[in-house]
mmCIF file of all heavy atoms in Angstrom:
data_model
loop_
_atom_site.group_PDB
_atom_site.id
_atom_site.type_symbol
_atom_site.label_atom_id
_atom_site.label_comp_id
_atom_site.label_asym_id
_atom_site.label_seq_id
_atom_site.Cartn_x
_atom_site.Cartn_y
_atom_site.Cartn_z
ATOM 1 N N ALA B 11 58.144 -86.209 43.169
ATOM 2 C CA ALA B 11 57.977 -85.274 44.291
ATOM 3 C C ALA B 11 56.508 -84.888 44.448
ATOM 4 O O ALA B 11 56.027 -84.697 45.568
ATOM 5 C CB ALA B 11 58.826 -84.025 44.076
ATOM 6 N N LEU B 12 55.793 -84.797 43.338
ATOM 7 C CA LEU B 12 54.372 -84.490 43.407
ATOM 8 C C LEU B 12 53.553 -85.737 43.661
ATOM 9 O O LEU B 12 52.640 -85.748 44.496
ATOM 10 C CB LEU B 12 53.899 -83.852 42.087
ATOM 11 C CG LEU B 12 54.297 -82.402 41.854
ATOM 12 C CD1 LEU B 12 53.836 -81.934 40.492
ATOM 13 C CD2 LEU B 12 53.690 -81.540 42.951
ATOM 14 N N ARG B 13 53.884 -86.787 42.895
ATOM 15 C CA ARG B 13 53.060 -87.994 42.913
ATOM 16 C C ARG B 13 52.924 -88.606 44.294
ATOM 17 O O ARG B 13 51.963 -89.303 44.600
ATOM 18 C CB ARG B 13 53.666 -89.021 41.956
ATOM 19 C CG ARG B 13 52.847 -89.230 40.700
ATOM 20 C CD ARG B 13 53.560 -90.170 39.745
ATOM 21 N NE ARG B 13 54.687 -90.850 40.339
ATOM 22 C CZ ARG B 13 55.809 -91.149 39.692
ATOM 23 N NH1 ARG B 13 55.957 -90.807 38.433
ATOM 24 N NH2 ARG B 13 56.779 -91.779 40.299
ATOM 25 N N GLU B 14 53.923 -88.376 45.130
ATOM 26 C CA GLU B 14 53.907 -89.030 46.440
ATOM 27 C C GLU B 14 53.235 -88.176 47.510
ATOM 28 O O GLU B 14 53.105 -88.620 48.647
ATOM 29 C CB GLU B 14 55.336 -89.362 46.862
ATOM 30 C CG GLU B 14 56.151 -88.149 47.245
ATOM 31 C CD GLU B 14 57.642 -88.468 47.313
ATOM 32 O OE1 GLU B 14 58.004 -89.620 46.986
ATOM 33 O OE2 GLU B 14 58.423 -87.592 47.690
ATOM 34 N N LYS B 15 52.827 -86.977 47.145
ATOM 35 C CA LYS B 15 52.255 -86.089 48.158
ATOM 36 C C LYS B 15 50.740 -86.189 48.204
ATOM 37 O O LYS B 15 50.050 -86.046 47.199
ATOM 38 C CB LYS B 15 52.698 -84.646 47.901
ATOM 39 C CG LYS B 15 54.127 -84.454 48.355
ATOM 40 C CD LYS B 15 54.659 -83.094 48.237
ATOM 41 C CE LYS B 15 56.066 -83.043 48.830
ATOM 42 N NZ LYS B 15 57.037 -83.844 48.036
ATOM 43 N N ALA B 16 50.243 -86.412 49.411
ATOM 44 C CA ALA B 16 48.799 -86.572 49.585
ATOM 45 C C ALA B 16 48.044 -85.331 49.123
ATOM 46 O O ALA B 16 46.977 -85.430 48.517
ATOM 47 C CB ALA B 16 48.472 -86.857 51.051
ATOM 48 N N SER B 17 48.618 -84.164 49.374
ATOM 49 C CA SER B 17 47.923 -82.934 48.977
ATOM 50 C C SER B 17 47.787 -82.844 47.462
ATOM 51 O O SER B 17 46.777 -82.366 46.943
ATOM 52 C CB SER B 17 48.661 -81.705 49.518
ATOM 53 O OG SER B 17 49.987 -81.657 49.043
ATOM 54 N N TRP B 18 48.779 -83.307 46.753
ATOM 55 C CA TRP B 18 48.724 -83.351 45.290
ATOM 56 C C TRP B 18 47.654 -84.340 44.816
ATOM 57 O O TRP B 18 46.832 -84.030 43.951
ATOM 58 C CB TRP B 18 50.089 -83.739 44.722
ATOM 59 C CG TRP B 18 50.084 -84.112 43.270
ATOM 60 C CD1 TRP B 18 50.105 -85.371 42.739
ATOM 61 C CD2 TRP B 18 50.072 -83.204 42.154
ATOM 62 N NE1 TRP B 18 50.102 -85.304 41.377
ATOM 63 C CE2 TRP B 18 50.075 -83.985 40.979
ATOM 64 C CE3 TRP B 18 50.044 -81.817 42.038
ATOM 65 C CZ2 TRP B 18 50.055 -83.409 39.701
ATOM 66 C CZ3 TRP B 18 50.020 -81.256 40.767
ATOM 67 C CH2 TRP B 18 50.031 -82.057 39.616
ATOM 68 N N LEU B 19 47.667 -85.526 45.403
ATOM 69 C CA LEU B 19 46.694 -86.549 45.000
ATOM 70 C C LEU B 19 45.276 -86.081 45.283
ATOM 71 O O LEU B 19 44.370 -86.269 44.477
ATOM 72 C CB LEU B 19 46.986 -87.865 45.728
ATOM 73 C CG LEU B 19 48.321 -88.521 45.381
ATOM 74 C CD1 LEU B 19 48.643 -89.643 46.357
ATOM 75 C CD2 LEU B 19 48.298 -89.055 43.960
ATOM 76 N N LEU B 20 45.100 -85.465 46.439
ATOM 77 C CA LEU B 20 43.785 -84.920 46.763
ATOM 78 C C LEU B 20 43.373 -83.870 45.744
ATOM 79 O O LEU B 20 42.244 -83.877 45.245
ATOM 80 C CB LEU B 20 43.801 -84.279 48.154
ATOM 81 C CG LEU B 20 43.699 -85.217 49.342
ATOM 82 C CD1 LEU B 20 43.875 -84.434 50.639
ATOM 83 C CD2 LEU B 20 42.364 -85.945 49.338
ATOM 84 N N GLY B 21 44.284 -82.980 45.438
ATOM 85 C CA GLY B 21 43.972 -81.901 44.506
ATOM 86 C C GLY B 21 43.606 -82.419 43.126
ATOM 87 O O GLY B 21 42.611 -81.985 42.533
ATOM 88 N N GLN B 22 44.392 -83.361 42.634
ATOM 89 C CA GLN B 22 44.147 -83.873 41.288
ATOM 90 C C GLN B 22 42.854 -84.675 41.208
ATOM 91 O O GLN B 22 42.042 -84.477 40.306
ATOM 92 C CB GLN B 22 45.325 -84.752 40.835
ATOM 93 C CG GLN B 22 46.611 -83.983 40.629
ATOM 94 C CD GLN B 22 46.502 -82.960 39.501
ATOM 95 O OE1 GLN B 22 46.269 -83.293 38.358
ATOM 96 N NE2 GLN B 22 46.650 -81.686 39.844
ATOM 97 N N THR B 23 42.672 -85.583 42.155
ATOM 98 C CA THR B 23 41.458 -86.389 42.105
ATOM 99 C C THR B 23 40.224 -85.519 42.299
ATOM 100 O O THR B 23 39.214 -85.709 41.617
ATOM 101 C CB THR B 23 41.475 -87.477 43.197
ATOM 102 O OG1 THR B 23 41.810 -86.882 44.447
ATOM 103 C CG2 THR B 23 42.497 -88.545 42.874
ATOM 104 N N SER B 24 40.345 -84.540 43.177
ATOM 105 C CA SER B 24 39.172 -83.707 43.428
ATOM 106 C C SER B 24 38.873 -82.796 42.243
ATOM 107 O O SER B 24 37.714 -82.532 41.919
ATOM 108 C CB SER B 24 39.372 -82.910 44.715
ATOM 109 O OG SER B 24 39.289 -81.534 44.496
ATOM 110 N N MET B 25 39.915 -82.359 41.561
ATOM 111 C CA MET B 25 39.674 -81.532 40.385
ATOM 112 C C MET B 25 38.963 -82.347 39.309
ATOM 113 O O MET B 25 38.009 -81.872 38.685
ATOM 114 C CB MET B 25 40.997 -81.012 39.834
ATOM 115 C CG MET B 25 40.828 -79.799 38.920
ATOM 116 S SD MET B 25 42.154 -79.592 37.735
ATOM 117 C CE MET B 25 43.589 -79.972 38.705
ATOM 118 N N HIS B 26 39.447 -83.550 39.127
ATOM 119 C CA HIS B 26 38.804 -84.401 38.129
ATOM 120 C C HIS B 26 37.347 -84.680 38.506
ATOM 121 O O HIS B 26 36.453 -84.606 37.672
ATOM 122 C CB HIS B 26 39.577 -85.709 37.986
ATOM 123 C CG HIS B 26 39.215 -86.465 36.759
ATOM 124 N ND1 HIS B 26 39.941 -86.396 35.596
ATOM 125 C CD2 HIS B 26 38.175 -87.291 36.494
ATOM 126 C CE1 HIS B 26 39.367 -87.144 34.671
ATOM 127 N NE2 HIS B 26 38.302 -87.716 35.189
ATOM 128 N N ALA B 27 37.132 -84.999 39.771
ATOM 129 C CA ALA B 27 35.765 -85.258 40.231
ATOM 130 C C ALA B 27 34.891 -84.029 40.023
ATOM 131 O O ALA B 27 33.718 -84.136 39.641
ATOM 132 C CB ALA B 27 35.782 -85.658 41.710
ATOM 133 N N HIS B 28 35.460 -82.875 40.268
ATOM 134 C CA HIS B 28 34.693 -81.649 40.102
ATOM 135 C C HIS B 28 34.311 -81.427 38.644
ATOM 136 O O HIS B 28 33.193 -81.016 38.337
ATOM 137 C CB HIS B 28 35.483 -80.454 40.634
ATOM 138 C CG HIS B 28 34.692 -79.200 40.697
ATOM 139 N ND1 HIS B 28 34.907 -78.150 39.852
ATOM 140 C CD2 HIS B 28 33.636 -78.848 41.460
ATOM 141 C CE1 HIS B 28 34.032 -77.185 40.118
ATOM 142 N NE2 HIS B 28 33.266 -77.586 41.099
ATOM 143 N N ARG B 29 35.218 -81.724 37.753
ATOM 144 C CA ARG B 29 34.895 -81.582 36.327
ATOM 145 C C ARG B 29 33.788 -82.547 35.927
ATOM 146 O O ARG B 29 32.886 -82.194 35.167
ATOM 147 C CB ARG B 29 36.138 -81.828 35.469
ATOM 148 C CG ARG B 29 37.006 -80.587 35.318
ATOM 149 C CD ARG B 29 38.036 -80.771 34.215
ATOM 150 N NE ARG B 29 39.039 -81.758 34.617
ATOM 151 C CZ ARG B 29 40.326 -81.479 34.747
ATOM 152 N NH1 ARG B 29 40.769 -80.267 34.525
ATOM 153 N NH2 ARG B 29 41.181 -82.419 35.106
ATOM 154 N N MET B 30 33.870 -83.770 36.453
ATOM 155 C CA MET B 30 32.809 -84.738 36.169
ATOM 156 C C MET B 30 31.472 -84.194 36.672
ATOM 157 O O MET B 30 30.430 -84.318 36.011
ATOM 158 C CB MET B 30 33.105 -86.073 36.869
ATOM 159 C CG MET B 30 34.274 -86.851 36.298
ATOM 160 S SD MET B 30 34.748 -88.253 37.388
ATOM 161 C CE MET B 30 33.255 -89.260 37.327
ATOM 162 N N LEU B 31 31.520 -83.597 37.853
ATOM 163 C CA LEU B 31 30.308 -83.070 38.471
ATOM 164 C C LEU B 31 29.696 -81.946 37.641
ATOM 165 O O LEU B 31 28.493 -81.936 37.363
ATOM 166 C CB LEU B 31 30.645 -82.571 39.881
ATOM 167 C CG LEU B 31 29.492 -82.035 40.722
ATOM 168 C CD1 LEU B 31 28.426 -83.087 40.907
ATOM 169 C CD2 LEU B 31 30.007 -81.540 42.062
ATOM 170 N N ILE B 32 30.536 -81.014 37.250
ATOM 171 C CA ILE B 32 30.076 -79.899 36.421
ATOM 172 C C ILE B 32 29.402 -80.439 35.152
ATOM 173 O O ILE B 32 28.299 -80.021 34.792
ATOM 174 C CB ILE B 32 31.266 -79.009 36.011
ATOM 175 C CG1 ILE B 32 31.922 -78.394 37.227
ATOM 176 C CG2 ILE B 32 30.824 -77.943 35.009
ATOM 177 C CD1 ILE B 32 31.309 -77.113 37.681
ATOM 178 N N ASP B 33 30.081 -81.356 34.500
ATOM 179 C CA ASP B 33 29.552 -81.917 33.255
ATOM 180 C C ASP B 33 28.203 -82.584 33.479
ATOM 181 O O ASP B 33 27.263 -82.397 32.717
ATOM 182 C CB ASP B 33 30.533 -82.934 32.664
ATOM 183 C CG ASP B 33 31.761 -82.251 32.067
ATOM 184 O OD1 ASP B 33 31.751 -81.017 31.950
ATOM 185 O OD2 ASP B 33 32.726 -82.955 31.737
ATOM 186 N N ALA B 34 28.143 -83.395 34.556
ATOM 187 C CA ALA B 34 26.920 -84.159 34.801
ATOM 188 C C ALA B 34 25.755 -83.229 35.144
ATOM 189 O O ALA B 34 24.628 -83.426 34.681
ATOM 190 C CB ALA B 34 27.152 -85.167 35.928
ATOM 191 N N LEU B 35 26.029 -82.211 35.954
ATOM 192 C CA LEU B 35 24.946 -81.308 36.357
ATOM 193 C C LEU B 35 24.526 -80.397 35.209
ATOM 194 O O LEU B 35 23.376 -79.954 35.142
ATOM 195 C CB LEU B 35 25.386 -80.465 37.565
ATOM 196 C CG LEU B 35 25.580 -81.243 38.859
ATOM 197 C CD1 LEU B 35 25.961 -80.304 39.988
ATOM 198 C CD2 LEU B 35 24.320 -82.018 39.221
ATOM 199 N N ASP B 36 25.447 -80.137 34.328
ATOM 200 C CA ASP B 36 25.173 -79.262 33.200
ATOM 201 C C ASP B 36 23.987 -79.779 32.378
ATOM 202 O O ASP B 36 23.188 -78.981 31.876
ATOM 203 C CB ASP B 36 26.413 -79.166 32.317
ATOM 204 C CG ASP B 36 26.501 -77.831 31.620
ATOM 205 O OD1 ASP B 36 26.419 -76.803 32.315
ATOM 206 O OD2 ASP B 36 26.631 -77.817 30.385
ATOM 207 N N ALA B 37 23.896 -81.079 32.279
ATOM 208 C CA ALA B 37 22.802 -81.667 31.502
ATOM 209 C C ALA B 37 21.441 -81.323 32.108
ATOM 210 O O ALA B 37 20.417 -81.330 31.416
ATOM 211 C CB ALA B 37 22.974 -83.186 31.420
ATOM 212 N N GLU B 38 21.423 -81.011 33.410
ATOM 213 C CA GLU B 38 20.174 -80.644 34.079
ATOM 214 C C GLU B 38 20.110 -79.137 34.332
ATOM 215 O O GLU B 38 19.288 -78.665 35.128
ATOM 216 C CB GLU B 38 20.048 -81.384 35.415
ATOM 217 C CG GLU B 38 20.055 -82.892 35.305
ATOM 218 C CD GLU B 38 18.839 -83.403 34.526
ATOM 219 O OE1 GLU B 38 17.782 -82.761 34.575
ATOM 220 O OE2 GLU B 38 18.982 -84.459 33.850
ATOM 221 N N ASP B 39 20.989 -78.408 33.685
ATOM 222 C CA ASP B 39 21.028 -76.964 33.868
ATOM 223 C C ASP B 39 21.235 -76.606 35.349
ATOM 224 O O ASP B 39 20.647 -75.648 35.854
ATOM 225 C CB ASP B 39 19.734 -76.332 33.331
ATOM 226 C CG ASP B 39 19.845 -74.814 33.214
ATOM 227 O OD1 ASP B 39 20.952 -74.326 32.965
ATOM 228 O OD2 ASP B 39 18.815 -74.130 33.399
ATOM 229 N N ALA B 40 22.039 -77.414 36.018
ATOM 230 C CA ALA B 40 22.266 -77.203 37.447
ATOM 231 C C ALA B 40 23.753 -77.007 37.722
ATOM 232 O O ALA B 40 24.601 -77.316 36.885
ATOM 233 C CB ALA B 40 21.753 -78.397 38.239
ATOM 234 N N ARG B 41 24.054 -76.490 38.908
ATOM 235 C CA ARG B 41 25.426 -76.284 39.341
ATOM 236 C C ARG B 41 25.604 -76.925 40.707
ATOM 237 O O ARG B 41 24.634 -77.139 41.434
ATOM 238 C CB ARG B 41 25.714 -74.788 39.460
ATOM 239 C CG ARG B 41 25.548 -74.037 38.158
ATOM 240 C CD ARG B 41 26.270 -72.704 38.202
ATOM 241 N NE ARG B 41 25.750 -71.798 39.210
ATOM 242 C CZ ARG B 41 26.490 -71.173 40.122
ATOM 243 N NH1 ARG B 41 27.786 -71.406 40.188
ATOM 244 N NH2 ARG B 41 25.942 -70.349 40.982
ATOM 245 N N PRO B 42 26.870 -77.210 41.078
ATOM 246 C CA PRO B 42 27.120 -77.828 42.371
ATOM 247 C C PRO B 42 26.474 -77.072 43.533
ATOM 248 O O PRO B 42 25.952 -77.700 44.460
ATOM 249 C CB PRO B 42 28.649 -77.805 42.473
ATOM 250 C CG PRO B 42 29.118 -77.881 41.060
ATOM 251 C CD PRO B 42 28.104 -77.144 40.254
ATOM 252 N N TYR B 43 26.508 -75.766 43.508
ATOM 253 C CA TYR B 43 25.885 -74.969 44.563
ATOM 254 C C TYR B 43 24.413 -75.324 44.734
ATOM 255 O O TYR B 43 23.895 -75.342 45.859
ATOM 256 C CB TYR B 43 26.002 -73.477 44.248
ATOM 257 C CG TYR B 43 27.332 -72.840 44.627
ATOM 258 C CD1 TYR B 43 28.354 -73.581 45.186
ATOM 259 C CD2 TYR B 43 27.541 -71.486 44.444
ATOM 260 C CE1 TYR B 43 29.561 -72.992 45.529
ATOM 261 C CE2 TYR B 43 28.747 -70.880 44.791
ATOM 262 C CZ TYR B 43 29.751 -71.647 45.335
ATOM 263 O OH TYR B 43 30.943 -71.055 45.692
ATOM 264 N N HIS B 44 23.728 -75.574 43.636
ATOM 265 C CA HIS B 44 22.310 -75.911 43.716
ATOM 266 C C HIS B 44 22.109 -77.185 44.516
ATOM 267 O O HIS B 44 21.246 -77.262 45.390
ATOM 268 C CB HIS B 44 21.725 -76.103 42.314
ATOM 269 C CG HIS B 44 21.786 -74.886 41.454
ATOM 270 N ND1 HIS B 44 21.322 -74.861 40.159
ATOM 271 C CD2 HIS B 44 22.266 -73.653 41.708
ATOM 272 C CE1 HIS B 44 21.508 -73.651 39.646
ATOM 273 N NE2 HIS B 44 22.081 -72.906 40.559
ATOM 274 N N TYR B 45 22.904 -78.163 44.194
ATOM 275 C CA TYR B 45 22.768 -79.438 44.889
ATOM 276 C C TYR B 45 23.021 -79.288 46.380
ATOM 277 O O TYR B 45 22.260 -79.790 47.214
ATOM 278 C CB TYR B 45 23.725 -80.482 44.299
ATOM 279 C CG TYR B 45 23.654 -81.801 45.022
ATOM 280 C CD1 TYR B 45 22.627 -82.699 44.750
ATOM 281 C CD2 TYR B 45 24.589 -82.134 45.998
ATOM 282 C CE1 TYR B 45 22.545 -83.913 45.435
ATOM 283 C CE2 TYR B 45 24.512 -83.333 46.675
ATOM 284 C CZ TYR B 45 23.488 -84.212 46.390
ATOM 285 O OH TYR B 45 23.405 -85.393 47.070
ATOM 286 N N ARG B 46 24.054 -78.562 46.706
ATOM 287 C CA ARG B 46 24.384 -78.367 48.115
ATOM 288 C C ARG B 46 23.240 -77.691 48.866
ATOM 289 O O ARG B 46 22.875 -78.105 49.976
ATOM 290 C CB ARG B 46 25.607 -77.467 48.234
ATOM 291 C CG ARG B 46 26.882 -78.089 47.750
ATOM 292 C CD ARG B 46 28.019 -77.408 48.471
ATOM 293 N NE ARG B 46 29.106 -77.027 47.612
ATOM 294 C CZ ARG B 46 30.090 -76.208 47.980
ATOM 295 N NH1 ARG B 46 30.073 -75.669 49.189
ATOM 296 N NH2 ARG B 46 31.066 -75.916 47.172
ATOM 297 N N LEU B 47 22.674 -76.666 48.255
ATOM 298 C CA LEU B 47 21.603 -75.924 48.917
ATOM 299 C C LEU B 47 20.358 -76.786 49.061
ATOM 300 O O LEU B 47 19.724 -76.805 50.122
ATOM 301 C CB LEU B 47 21.293 -74.651 48.130
ATOM 302 C CG LEU B 47 22.348 -73.552 48.243
ATOM 303 C CD1 LEU B 47 22.076 -72.428 47.252
ATOM 304 C CD2 LEU B 47 22.391 -72.998 49.666
ATOM 305 N N LEU B 48 20.011 -77.489 48.010
ATOM 306 C CA LEU B 48 18.823 -78.330 48.077
ATOM 307 C C LEU B 48 18.998 -79.437 49.108
ATOM 308 O O LEU B 48 18.062 -79.769 49.845
ATOM 309 C CB LEU B 48 18.507 -78.916 46.694
ATOM 310 C CG LEU B 48 18.070 -77.896 45.631
ATOM 311 C CD1 LEU B 48 17.906 -78.560 44.269
ATOM 312 C CD2 LEU B 48 16.773 -77.201 46.041
ATOM 313 N N ALA B 49 20.195 -79.997 49.162
ATOM 314 C CA ALA B 49 20.461 -81.046 50.147
ATOM 315 C C ALA B 49 20.290 -80.503 51.561
ATOM 316 O O ALA B 49 19.695 -81.152 52.429
ATOM 317 C CB ALA B 49 21.863 -81.614 49.952
ATOM 318 N N ALA B 50 20.798 -79.311 51.798
ATOM 319 C CA ALA B 50 20.684 -78.702 53.128
ATOM 320 C C ALA B 50 19.221 -78.410 53.453
ATOM 321 O O ALA B 50 18.761 -78.650 54.577
ATOM 322 C CB ALA B 50 21.509 -77.422 53.201
#
Side-chain angles (χ1 to χ4, degrees):
Chain B
L12 285 177
R13 251 175 12 215
E14 72 195 4
K15 283 183 176 67
S17 59
W18 167 259
L19 295 168
L20 281 174
Q22 293 296 298
T23 49
S24 122
M25 199 205 319
H26 195 97
H28 189 251
R29 276 193 291 242
M30 290 169 63
L31 183 59
I32 298 273
D33 287 350
L35 292 182
D36 210 53
E38 301 296 330
D39 193 31
R41 300 199 297 129
Y43 278 1
H44 298 179
Y45 178 80
R46 291 205 226 167
L47 287 170
L48 293 175

